[in-house]
Amino acid sequence: MRGTLRPLSVAPMMARTDRHFRVFLRQLTRRTLLYTEMVTQHAVLHGDRDKILGFSPIEHPLALQLGGDDPALLAECARVAADWGYDEVNLNVGCPSERVQSGNFGACLMLEPDTVARAVEAMRAAVDLPITVKHRIGVDERDGYDDMLAFVDVVARAGADRFSVHARKAWLSGLSPKQNRTVPPLRYADVYRLKRERPDLPIEINGGITTLEATLEHLEHVDAVMIGRAAYDDPGLFGAADRLVFGDAAAPDVDAFTAVERLQPYVDAWVAGGGRLHQVTRHLMGLFAGLPGARRFRQVLSEQGARPTAGPEVLARALACVRRPG
Ligand SMILES: Cc1cc2nc3c(=O)[nH]c(=O)nc-3n(C[C@H](O)[C@H](O)[C@H](O)COP(=O)(O)O)c2cc1C
């Protein structure tokens, strides 16, 4: 296996896990593995790379998630990822959106394990980075445990370095991507069984996990836990991750106030470099829910912070509206 097995990651999420949100998460946790949003093979090869692939050194360890189905193109993408300094390349075999299906990638590739295997093989041959796969427990009628096992076995033989399993099946038609994250039931037992029956394969579980306590329980059964929506809705939960999940006794817990304060120099530099404040602060809207002043915090950020000329001091002004507990 290539790479370090990390027990906790933040899931790739389109329009959410961009470089700014990742830098914010890094104020809370040094060790959790972070992912980019999904980037298609064509975007990596033909798009504006600074915009699509650029990141700050503090974001390591960082995985680039790719969407695609062409082994040669994906291998080229993996080379680009290595040149840019990413720590891992992950292939998306879990997204059921129609746009993604029309490109023949995402969850529909669960029906084509050989294609995925060839892609993994080609990427592994191209670079020394870990090549990992994020997938579902099943799609459509192919949703039995044995179907998933057959998929994993084929892809494991190609050398995949970790399987991140969203513990729900996806319906390729009839459900929106959002419904596909809530309607099919979670089947954690299938993922646990996969780890039991394939103990040598690094297995990460994903889906519906919202606390570090639940994370620790899952870690009794699998190697790693991936948290998606809860990381966005309640990023503060990662403030204790280095200590509780990674066992780093020296890591002090960080609260959301401290994380926002620590983010300020990044915000200053981003705005000074011509970036817009709102690109960063839009990710902070969910913070401090329930605390006195949280509404005012959101108001200041959305009214003053969204102006094209908003300066970085708006963030400090918004933070000053929230009363710290205790
Ligand atoms: C807004 C949003 C965007 C997402 N984008 C991606 C993506 O780009 N790639 C991917 O593999 N999964 C994507 N997902 C799925 C998540 O990575 C994750 O598998 C799913 O949300 C289940 O985990 P959770 O219950 O912890 O949120 C997305 C989910 C959300 C909510």
Side-chain angles (χ1 to χ4, degrees):
M1 190 200 93
R2 294 175 181 173
T4 311
L5 185 53
R6 291 182 180 266
L8 185 60
S9 71
V10 174
M13 289 181 283
M14 296 296 292
R16 295 191 178 181
T17 53
D18 66 11
R19 57 185 302 173
H20 307 303
F21 183 58
R22 298 187 310 249
V23 168
F24 177 61
L25 282 169
R26 275 287 171 253
Q27 312 309 317
L28 292 153
T29 169
R30 297 269 151 181
R31 295 175 176 241
T32 302
L33 176 64
L34 302 182
Y35 284 82
T36 64
E37 306 163 88
M38 181 189 75
V39 186
T40 66
Q41 58 197 12
H42 295 294
V44 172
L45 298 179
H46 308 296
D48 174 349
R49 288 193 185 158
D50 283 335
K51 198 163 162 225
I52 296 169
L53 299 176
F55 65 91
S56 310
I58 191 184
E59 293 172 49
H60 290 294
L62 178 62
L64 175 65
Q65 190 191 50
L66 295 173
D69 68 338
D70 183 306
L73 297 185
L74 288 168
E76 191 49 38
C77 292
R79 273 186 217 105
V80 173
D83 286 347
W84 276 74
Y86 282 92
D87 301 296
E88 172 182 322
V89 176
N90 177 266
L91 186 64
N92 181 338
V93 189
C95 177
S97 86
E98 273 174 25
R99 186 180 69 84
V100 159
Q101 282 185 60
S102 67
N104 194 41
F105 51 89
C108 60
L109 285 178
M110 285 207 74
L111 303 172
E112 294 182 39
D114 291 329
T115 306
V116 177
R118 282 203 308 278
V120 166
E121 229 163 53
M123 289 191 279
R124 270 194 129 244
V127 295
D128 289 330
L129 296 179
I131 306 295
T132 62
V133 174
K134 179 169 182 279
H135 63 97
R136 296 271 183 153
I137 49 174
V139 288
D140 293 345
E141 314 303 337
R142 294 266 286 277
D143 67 346
Y145 171 79
D146 289 337
D147 297 313
M148 173 175 69
L149 187 64
F151 170 84
V152 167
D153 279 342
V154 170
V155 178
R157 276 198 292 278
D161 292 290
R162 193 184 59 248
F163 292 86
S164 299
V165 191
H166 184 175
R168 325 184 137 81
K169 68 175 287 186
W171 287 103
L172 294 177
S173 55
L175 291 188
S176 69
K178 193 168 178 196
Q179 288 170 319
N180 262 314
R181 291 192 291 267
T182 50
V183 175
L186 286 160
R187 287 170 24 203
Y188 295 140
D190 284 29
V191 186
Y192 295 170
R193 182 174 168 198
L194 178 65
K195 180 63 199 176
R196 270 200 317 277
E197 295 185 0
R198 297 291 181 270
D200 295 338
L201 296 182
I203 304 293
E204 179 170 64
I205 195 164
N206 167 243
I209 303 164
T210 59
T211 64
L212 295 186
E213 290 67 33
T215 297
L216 294 174
E217 282 168 29
H218 285 292
L219 289 173
E220 303 279 321
H221 305 276
V222 291
D223 302 296
V225 168
M226 171 186 272
I227 297 182
R229 286 162 291 185
Y232 200 78
D233 299 340
D234 182 18
L237 78 90
F238 283 85
D242 291 356
R243 180 176 60 81
L244 275 179
V245 182
F246 289 86
D248 182 349
D253 291 3
V254 183
D255 64 20
F257 283 93
T258 308
V260 172
E261 281 164 3
R262 286 186 185 169
L263 187 67
Q264 188 70 55
Y266 173 81
V267 171
D268 296 347
W270 179 253
V271 174
R276 285 185 57 178
L277 178 70
H278 187 63
Q279 290 174 295
V280 187
T281 54
R282 73 188 188 90
H283 296 297
L284 309 179
M285 294 296 188
L287 293 181
F288 310 120
L291 289 186
R295 210 162 138 251
R296 186 75 196 124
F297 172 80
R298 284 195 297 277
Q299 255 171 6
V300 171
L301 286 187
S302 58
E303 286 165 16
Q304 304 174 24
R307 293 180 193 142
T309 53
E313 69 285 351
V314 173
L315 178 57
R317 202 180 298 147
L319 188 63
C321 300
V322 194
R323 187 142 19 100
R324 284 175 193 253

